[in-house]
Amino acid sequence: MKSFDYLPAQKLEEAVARGEPRTSRFIAGGTLLVDLMRLDVERPDLVVDLNGVLSSDIAWNEAGLTLGALARNTDVAYDDTVRREFPVLSEAILAGASPQIRNLATTGGNLLQRTRCAYFRDAAVPACNKRKPGSGCAALEGYTRMHAILGVSERCIAAHPSDMAVALLALDAAVHTRRATGERQIPLGDLHTLPGTTPELETVLEPGEVITRVVVPRSPRGRRSTYLKVRDRASFAFALSSAAVALELEQGTIRSARVALGGVGVKPWRAAATEAALVGRPATSETYRAAAKLATSGAKTTPDNAFKVPLTERVVARALERAGALA
Amino acid sequence: MDLPHQRAGYAFCLAPAMFHVQTDALAAAWRAWLCGVGAPAVLIVAADGEWGTPDRRLLDGIRGELRALGAALVVVTEGRSFCFRPDVDRDEPVPERLATGAGMRALHGLYGVEAAAQVPFTLTLLDEHGAVRAQTSARAEGGLHATLLATLRSAVENTRADERVLFSRREVVLSSLTAALALSFAASCRPHAKPPSPGAPPAASTPSTAREILVTLVVNGETHQLELEPRVSLLDALRERLALTGTKKGCDHGQCGACTVLLDARRVNACLILAVMAQNKPITTIEGLSHGENLHPLQAAFVKEDALQCGYCTPGQIMSAAGLLREKRAHTDDEVRELMSGNICRCGAYVNIVRAIRSVQESGVPT
């Protein structure tokens, strides 16, 4: 690991001011950054510690649920309000990582996770447009079983790894940030960018911009929500495909729906066509299966990951079935 | 007696054969005792004051490296003699009849070492038969303790590099130690190859990459102040600086759980935490789990249920289980399995690990 200076920020303005994109990195839980620094993928000169300047509170009020950016994954997942009002969020967090990592990992950091693409994580691989803009993409000619099928470009097919972000997307969450010019709110669906020709850019955050909290609005779908994740082993593995679904039912008819996908997109992926195919229909297996067929429309697959299309259809159908059956 | 290493200017002596000088009863007792303290053994015979009172940090480091090598250290001075074994926590005295008068003369006869003003110290590397594998009495530039630490450290590195060589572990350690001794002690007395010519500009000082800062860690109830670079992980600080090697390094990427410790009463991967970020919070390692000789109920259960094979993952498994018990979220075998998924056991001792954890839960013993 390259040597670096460490700055425990005392004020948020100080952290924002020191957030220089090429040479400094923010650290909160550290589970990702320390790993990537050890891999030499991240080589900052300065690491700015946000633990002294952000909140870890979890609060429930008229507006909904507010998660401080430092709220640890464990604390959010086991929070009584979260489990009651947004089971999909609790389930998604508990489907990710290990208890040890969840004890460290934070809400803000989880949203900014980097991909698990093996070619990105191996600094010895010369071609990675994300790591070294313009250097090419080793994955395109490599082993792509874990890679994305939605939102991919000719420059990058790396999948977004977060489970929690997928649940938050299905819950219409918004990210609140602080930047040099003040504060702003970003709907979660707008936080991450498509790789296009600039896969090195992953979010709309400006240099020095810090996520301060995440707000999940009260929702008629919140309690009827669930997360289903399929992976190579029963626990502690990244998703091959996952779905966060939230339904609002009225006398057996679907009034509104949210469906978001993980493990298949270059960013947490909203399955808008599936949602549209659910609304106004009876809450039956036939409806779920038909709507699920639309979840991966527009997918671009490789021979290694083409299996994700039928897999995702089944994951979505099963998740809808499960949500529909919730009391 | 005029052994080669005691002649002026002779820095280093590799002695593949043992010295058959004296075979009286005390010498035989010395050899038997030295063979018993662990192999290899580093025997230092030093004049009073030469060993002195080493800096605690250096001593802790020396102990840590000896543990890593599985080597013993025996220090014999006129004032005080002691022995550190890699598998025992505290120093032990050298038997009095060996470390005094006739015993010292027997040691001199056996290995040609004595504590005398003209030879401040002699360092001898002994194998499991008590045979001399290397010997030096060269003064080291950085001082005896620092050079010894550097030597041991470099030997540990060598053993890692040699992992694929098909020798016995003991031979690898011995040859690594021999090479490291030759390098650090012989190099320290090599004259400067080229003295700076008068008038030449002074050599540019090495750019400082050291960014050490003072870090306070509270481990197992004890407060330690360390000078560390920010990039040092909590795991490396525990193992390499505090010599708490019970916490294991497996993958170093948060994927195996071998480094699990409790931080602020929560289980975490010590490899993913910068030591500087773990300051002033209580840290519990496997060494702090038992109360002296009384095993923690989890430790006792792992022994009773045979919840291990090679044992490398065991400290992490036990610390993770300690966190799991505190959390009180696992109530069935399946929940224990799910919530222990951050700990990998390559031997596949999972069945008995689950059984051990469940037995502690069911016993209701306070943990």
Side-chain angles (χ1 to χ4, degrees), chain A residues 100, chain B residues 248 251 254-260 269 313 315-317 320 342-344:
Chain A
Q100 288 98 317
Chain B
K248 299 296 184 230
C251 68
Q255 297 173 6
C256 77
C259 66
T260 304
N269 303 105
C313 73
Q317 299 278 2
S320 189
N343 292 80
I344 310 293

Side-chain angles (χ1 to χ4, degrees), chain B residues 179-218:
Chain B
L181 279 166
L183 275 172
S184 47
F185 283 88
S188 65
C189 56
R190 197 168 42 206
H192 288 288
K194 219 193 243 176
S197 56
S205 62
T206 327
S208 168
T209 53
R211 306 183 188 201
E212 293 195 343
I213 48 180
L214 200 63
V215 171
T216 305
L217 294 179
V218 185

